[in-house]
Amino acid sequence: MVTVSVKQLVFAIEEADAFKLPDMNRGTRYLYERIYGRLSEGRDVRLSEVDFGSFEVDDIDSIRELYSETLEENVRKADSLAHILQNIPPHTAVSAFV
């Protein structure tokens, strides 16, 4: 049987380092904030709104690497943890206060 200490879990979450994106150049940051950010929120991005002078072809490869190596991996880890926690069967316990 798997047991989880909620206190230890909360403590570990509170003590975990904040997520920080890797350093990005101007073009990659533009793509991340103006294109990826909007698409990930389910918002539309129109071609007429894209400033093609704000990034280069290499920046597209950089954002692809950022997604596959960092963002996608963190989502996978978070989903895995959520799945584990959701599938732990409840355990009935009795507390006695004296």
Side-chain angles (χ1 to χ4, degrees), residues 10-76:
V10 170
F11 180 76
I13 291 170
E14 290 174 344
E15 293 300 312
D17 292 335
F19 174 73
K20 184 177 180 230
L21 286 170
D23 292 333
M24 293 183 248
N25 65 23
R26 184 183 64 84
T28 304
R29 180 154 301 280
Y30 173 84
L31 290 171
Y32 177 77
E33 292 174 353
R34 303 295 295 261
I35 309 297
Y36 174 79
R38 291 181 67 178
L39 291 172
S40 66
E41 293 171 356
R43 297 170 34 205
D44 291 336
V45 175
R46 292 181 172 79
L47 285 177
S48 61
E49 299 171 336
V50 177
D51 180 4
F52 289 95
S54 292
F55 62 93
E56 298 177 11
V57 173
D58 291 343
D59 298 324
I60 295 171
D61 289 333
S62 295
I63 198 75
R64 184 182 308 125
E65 288 172 13
L66 171 71
Y67 177 78
S68 64
E69 294 174 6
T70 303
L71 303 174
E72 187 176 47
E73 179 65 17
N74 284 339
V75 167
R76 188 190 63 72

